[in-house]
């Protein structure tokens, strides 16, 4: 949508929205790339397996495979508006599922692979998903949650999905590759996104087919007027999240640019090698990965990208300096919450960078600090950051009876994030507030009470208390039902929490006690747990408790 300009003001003055009233996302990013004289045999997706094998898939292949899955889903009774969940790693199956669901007018519910039975079950039950397309890694969690999912009729698994699951590729082979995408209104629901972390029971955020296009101005600006000749895109973000899809994968396909995918957890050294092997020139790297990537790049050869984007949270001046030192380009930012998508951005050379401000409102949009009644405040006055009325990337609402921080007042979409705008129209958002009773563990919001409940659900655990250790890790105090507190039992409990909640919530340390200190009302006295005496038999020095240095709840 953007054209290369010499100034931010020129970009805003010349910008025009070009989203038609009838718009289907899958047709735009896939089928359109094979029609009207376009070369459908261009590479759309490059997938590198962990063993080093590489597969290249064209737009034509993606269209035919997604047509097959759309026909299969229709045969299962999926109709426009029905929900289909997927929990898949980055790669061909994830992209085919996304295209199939959206081209038939159904609603996709992406779920991160690392979520355990409770958060996975919540998302599928709350959304009312009728079909789930999953990776074998998600099968144990889904099996444990299945009894709470009355709406879930079928499960398609990539490979061995266990009893009751159909093999995805067998289903595709048995289906026709002829399918006509549904001509949907641009505001037809296409996605229900939940926060990527396992914490709590969050509301689902409904986004329309137009949501990706609505975020393009900020995305294209942060990617230095993307696309340009020779661009190849890669992101370290989880493809089951809105950031990866709306800031990297779908914008690339919209412009006919190849996307590189490598399943598995983020590894900075492997990412640099991947960039070099496949000529990656465009990166979207969330802040939690950007520092590690820059550190790895300082010690090994690597490709030099044309543009790096990050966000949605701003980064500080120090990280900016490290990135430009090792990559030769600035890390531009694109800001926005899940409900509004990317609505603000910066671009080195087009405007001054003022860390930790993520820049100014994207062309075609206005972002202001407003009061509770939706009235814009003066520059410098702190309020609620709000997006201008009728922003195409704004969400349609919360799913079902869910409620979240964002709301519409006087036409403005109040994001729920505090902050202010300065005289030069730079935005200064406040850091995200922690949820009630939550702590941050390795960048993830975690409620210790939920970890306690998961531990207590183990058949060999009588009670558990969880505290935050000064290093930012969780420590659990467990009363066992007669089992000795050996290393094998510790690993079993950590695996149990990973299965029930997520790997991020598994306590890094466990201590077995005869009983928990309780108050008169039966609640755990967490301060007493933090003040437990030094353990002279502790295997590691940092396991020996030096007194009250943790954070009681």
């Amino acid at each position: 949508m953007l054209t290369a300009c010499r100034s931010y003001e020129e970009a805003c003055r010349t910008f025009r929205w070009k989203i038609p009233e009838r718009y289907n996302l899958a047709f735009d990013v896939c089928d359109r790339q094979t029609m009207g004289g376009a070369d459908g045999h261009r590479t759309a997706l490059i997938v590198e397996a962990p063993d080093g094998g590489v597969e290249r898939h064209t737009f034509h292949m993606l269209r035919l495979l997604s047509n097959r899955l759309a026909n299969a889903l229709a045969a299962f009774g999926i109709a426009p508006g029905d929900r289909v969940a997927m929990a898949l790693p980055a790669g061909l199956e994830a992209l085919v599922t996304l295209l199939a669901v959206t081209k038939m007018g159904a609603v996709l519910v992406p779920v991160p692979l690392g979520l355990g039975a409770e958060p996975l079950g919540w998302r599928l039950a709350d959304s009312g998903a009728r079909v789930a397309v999953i990776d074998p890694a998600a099968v144990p969690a889904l099996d444990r949650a299945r009894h709470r999912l009355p709406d879930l009729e079928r499960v398609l698994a990539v490979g061995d999905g266990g009893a009751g699951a159909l093999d995805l590729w067998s289903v595709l082979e048995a289906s026709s590759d002829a399918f006509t995408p549904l001509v949907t209104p641009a505001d037809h629901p296409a996605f229900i996104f939940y926060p990527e972390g396992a914490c709590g029971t969050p509301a689902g955020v409904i986004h329309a087919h137009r949501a990706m296009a609505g975020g393009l101005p900020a995305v294209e600006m942060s990617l230095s007027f993307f696309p340009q000749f020779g661009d190849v895109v890669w992101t370290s973000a989880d493809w089951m999240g809105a950031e990866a899809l709306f800031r990297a994968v779908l914008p690339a396909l919209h412009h006919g640019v190849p996307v590189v995918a490598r399943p598995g957890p983020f590894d900075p050294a492997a990412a640099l090698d991947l960039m070099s092997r496949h000529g990656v020139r465009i990166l979207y790297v969330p802040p939690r990965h950007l520092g590690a990537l820059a550190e790895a790049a300082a010690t090994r050869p690597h490709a030099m990208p044309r543009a790096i984007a990050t966000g949605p949270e701003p980064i500080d001046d120090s990280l900016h300096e490290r990135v430009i030192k090792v990559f030769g380009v600035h890390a531009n930012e694109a800001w926005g919450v899940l409900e509004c998508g990317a609505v603000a951005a910066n671009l080195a050379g087009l405007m001054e960078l003022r860390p930790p401000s993520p820049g100014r409102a994207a062309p075609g949009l206005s972002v202001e600090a407003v009061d509770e009644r939706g009235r814009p405040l003066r520059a410098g006055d702190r309020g609620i950051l709000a997006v201008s009325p009728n922003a195409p990337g704004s969400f349609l609402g919360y799913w079902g009876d869910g409620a979240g921080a964002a709301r519409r007042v006087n036409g403005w979409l109040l994001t729920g994030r505090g902050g202010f705008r300065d005289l030069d129209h730079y935005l200064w958002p406040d850091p995200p507030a922690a949820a009630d009773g939550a702590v941050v563990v390795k960048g993830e919001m975690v409620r210790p009470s939920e970890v306690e409940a998961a531990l207590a659900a183990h058949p060999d655990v009588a009670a558990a208390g969880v505290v935050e250790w000064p290093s930012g890790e969780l420590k659990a105090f467990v009363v066992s039902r007669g089992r000795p507190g050996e290393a094998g039992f510790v690993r079993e409990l950590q695996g149990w929490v990973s299965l029930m909640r997520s790997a991020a919530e598994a306590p890094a340390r466990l201590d077995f006690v005869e009983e928990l200190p309780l108050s008169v009302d039966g609640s755990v006295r967490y301060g007493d747990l933090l003040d437990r005496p030094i353990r002279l038999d502790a295997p590691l020095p940092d396991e020996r408790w030096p007194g009250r240095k943790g954070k009681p709840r």
Side-chain angles (χ1 to χ4, degrees), residues 255-478:
H255 286 297
V257 172
V259 179
V260 177
R262 187 178 188 275
F266 170 67
D267 180 332
L272 293 173
D273 294 341
L274 183 81
M275 292 163 51
S276 299
R277 283 192 295 271
H278 300 293
V280 173
R281 301 180 70 221
I282 300 295
L283 308 180
Y284 165 65
V285 184
R288 64 182 180 277
H289 294 160
L290 187 58
L293 190 68
E295 184 177 349
T299 59
R300 60 190 297 133
H302 58 85
M304 301 298 283
R306 183 182 72 80
I308 301 175
T310 188
E313 298 308 321
I315 61 175
D316 59 27
D317 206 9
S318 172
L319 185 51
H320 270 289
E321 292 177 0
R322 281 188 286 152
V323 169
I324 195 170
K325 182 177 180 179
V326 297
F327 290 117
V329 294
H330 284 279
N332 302 311
E333 295 158 275
W335 179 86
V337 299
L338 179 59
E339 289 87 345
C340 69
V343 293
N346 57 31
L347 172 57
L350 192 73
M351 66 180 76
E352 178 186 1
L353 301 186
R354 300 180 183 179
S357 168
R360 310 180 191 179
L365 297 171
S366 296
V367 183
E368 296 282 351
V370 303
D371 62 18
E372 292 286 349
R373 299 171 65 180
R375 296 176 300 189
L377 303 174
R378 296 176 300 179
D381 288 350
R382 189 174 301 277
I384 304 169
L385 293 179
V387 185
S388 54
N390 302 319
S394 296
F395 77 140
L396 299 177
Y398 292 107
W399 175 256
D401 297 328
R407 64 189 191 281
R408 287 182 170 85
V409 179
N410 288 338
W412 289 87
L413 173 61
L414 277 62
T415 64
R417 288 285 294 275
F420 66 93
R421 172 188 64 79
D422 65 19
L423 285 170
D424 295 322
H425 292 271
Y426 282 80
L427 302 177
W428 300 85
D430 295 337
D436 291 341
V439 298
V440 179
V441 178
K442 297 180 180 179
E444 298 278 353
M445 290 283 186
V446 176
R447 279 198 176 101
S449 60
E450 293 178 333
V451 180
E452 290 176 0
L455 284 168
H458 190 282
D460 293 325
V461 172
V466 177
V467 296
E468 183 188 11
W469 188 235
S471 61
E473 299 173 325
L474 294 182
K475 174 141 187 175
F477 294 86
V478 174

Side-chain angles (χ1 to χ4, degrees), residues 73-107:
L73 293 173
F76 294 154
I78 300 299
D82 287 341
R83 279 74 61 204
V84 176
M86 73 169 176
L88 297 167
L92 177 62
E93 292 85 358
L95 192 50
V96 167
T97 302
L98 184 153
L99 295 172
V101 173
T102 52
K103 72 169 46 179
M104 65 186 303
V107 180

Side-chain angles (χ1 to χ4, degrees), residues 487-512:
F489 191 27
V490 170
R491 290 191 291 271
E492 179 182 331
L493 291 180
Q494 289 172 329
W496 173 264
V497 174
S498 297
L499 173 64
M500 298 300 293
R501 298 292 311 166
S502 73
E505 297 191 1
R509 310 172 189 278
L510 284 94
D511 194 5
F512 294 91

